[in-house]
Amino acid sequence: MDYFAQQLINGLVLGSIYGLIAIGYTMVYGIVGMINFAHGDIFMIGGFIALISFLILVSFGLTFVPLILLVVLLVSMAITALYGWTVERIAYRPLRNSFRLAPMLSAIGMSFVLMNFAQVAQGARVKPVPPIITGGYTLHESADGFNVQLSNVQIVVVITTIVLLAIFTWLVAKTRLGRDMRACEQDRTMASLLGVDVDRTISMTFVIGAALASVAGMMYLLYYGLVDFFMGFVAGIKAFTAAVLGGIGSLPGAMLGGLLIGLIETFWSAYFSVEYKDVAAFSILIVVLIFMPTGLLGRPEVEKV
């Protein structure tokens, strides 16, 4: 039971990271109706920016960890959001009214551009970083010597995720931007006729999604202690799977899907074979979609006539 509890903690932390990335996928799909396949690489860029910001602050002599983390978080969100805005203006906006396959091909191309840009700029080797947040708590000590541990970095990841989700939920439900986003999701043409700036709303959607992905990149750096140019592809596929599992277009579904993918991977790795953890996650996705084609919390599309 102690081993189960430890894996539950690990799975929830990993799922929180996947959920933050998956929200960006489901936001863009809900408004634009396309999959932003470059979103995983935006997450990777956020991780690199967090690493570079951390090293610069340390070189200036800053040693107060909470201040460093706050500055790194804000800088990473700002710069990565700029990347998201630039990607939307260059790769997606010119093709928005083109045939449906064109934006998808552009997204895949932009994914390779960002990946190779990071590889050329930062090198192909894995970039490790020493533990930034150390310490933790022992939740339970068993007689066989296995202790249930909750590290401080796991607490930071979960609390950061909860706070950001609360802010984002308020943003969507209570602000003018949130109303514009919901209007564009329902009918972009009608929203435009009613005075909604559709281009600005879509750009802000990419900006917010990129900012959340940058937070996920920073949490990944804190939790695993490394970044590399290829991590965006793998994490992006997992997060996209989470968004589909939860119901593409549903924000709560994206978070639920992320948590489920994280738990499935963690428990499968712990009790079965770590080599087949991805097989388990995608197999469960297939089974769910067979019986629930729109995902766990997805809504069936209603064709407008």
Side-chain angles (χ1 to χ4, degrees):
M1 197 64 191
D2 291 334
Y3 189 67
F4 176 86
Q6 184 64 67
Q7 301 310 318
L8 179 63
I9 294 172
N10 297 340
L12 290 175
V13 174
L14 178 60
S16 299
I17 296 175
Y18 285 156
L20 284 175
I21 309 173
I23 288 175
Y25 278 107
T26 203
M27 282 174 58
V28 172
Y29 181 85
I31 294 179
V32 188
M34 59 161 282
I35 302 298
N36 180 14
F37 284 107
H39 190 64
D41 298 282
I42 294 292
F43 153 79
M44 175 267 297
I45 293 292
F48 270 107
I49 293 173
L51 174 62
I52 294 170
S53 302
F54 170 74
L55 295 176
I56 291 175
L57 292 176
V58 171
S59 67
F60 285 159
L62 283 178
T63 56
F64 186 55
V65 173
L67 178 60
I68 291 177
L69 293 178
L70 178 61
V71 173
V72 169
L73 179 66
L74 296 177
V75 170
S76 178
M77 290 179 69
I79 298 179
T80 309
L82 184 60
Y83 269 89
W85 179 82
T86 304
V87 166
E88 191 273 334
R89 290 298 298 267
I90 294 176
Y92 302 137
R93 183 176 295 187
L95 301 174
R96 191 179 300 159
N97 297 318
S98 181
F99 63 100
R100 290 182 64 88
L101 198 59
M104 186 183 73
L105 295 175
S106 179
I108 295 174
M110 183 55 66
S111 172
F112 282 103
V113 168
L114 292 175
M115 187 187 306
N116 285 277
F117 165 71
Q119 182 182 9
V120 172
Q122 299 297 326
R125 293 184 179 180
V126 174
K127 302 294 186 293
V129 64
I132 301 172
I133 302 176
T134 57
Y137 305 92
T138 300
L139 302 182
H140 187 265
E141 297 182 2
S142 60
D144 59 359
F146 184 86
N147 299 330
V148 180
Q149 302 281 344
L150 179 63
S151 65
N152 287 331
V153 67
Q154 290 176 324
I155 296 174
V156 169
V157 170
V158 173
I159 290 179
T160 303
T161 301
I162 293 173
V163 171
L164 284 175
L165 285 178
I167 295 174
F168 181 70
T169 302
W170 170 82
L171 179 70
V172 172
K174 301 295 184 181
T175 65
R176 171 66 185 273
L177 176 61
R179 289 193 295 271
D180 291 348
M181 291 169 64
R182 284 179 279 133
C184 291
E185 180 180 4
Q186 293 181 7
D187 192 323
R188 274 186 287 163
T189 303
M190 182 59 68
S192 178
L193 292 174
L194 294 176
V196 175
D197 190 338
V198 175
D199 287 339
R200 173 181 171 274
T201 302
I202 293 176
S203 293
M204 288 304 299
T205 301
F206 275 84
V207 165
I208 295 172
L212 290 176
S214 74
V215 177
M218 178 180 171
M219 296 300 107
Y220 186 96
L221 174 67
L222 293 175
Y223 191 52
Y224 290 104
L226 55 88
V227 291
D228 65 87
F229 77 97
F230 195 67
M231 74 178 195
F233 176 79
V234 178
I237 292 296
K238 300 287 182 61
F240 174 63
T241 305
V244 174
L245 178 63
I248 193 75
S250 169
L251 297 179
M255 198 66 228
L256 175 62
L259 292 175
L260 288 177
I261 293 295
L263 289 171
I264 291 168
E265 282 193 10
T266 303
F267 280 116
W268 190 273
S269 301
Y271 289 101
F272 300 100
S273 172
V274 66
E275 289 85 2
Y276 292 97
K277 64 178 183 178
D278 296 337
V279 175
F282 286 105
S283 298
I284 292 177
L285 170 67
I286 293 171
V287 172
V288 170
L289 292 181
I290 288 175
F291 296 100
M292 305 175 68
T294 59
L296 296 175
L297 300 181
R299 300 186 302 270
E301 288 190 12
V302 178
E303 186 175 354
K304 301 179 181 67
V305 294

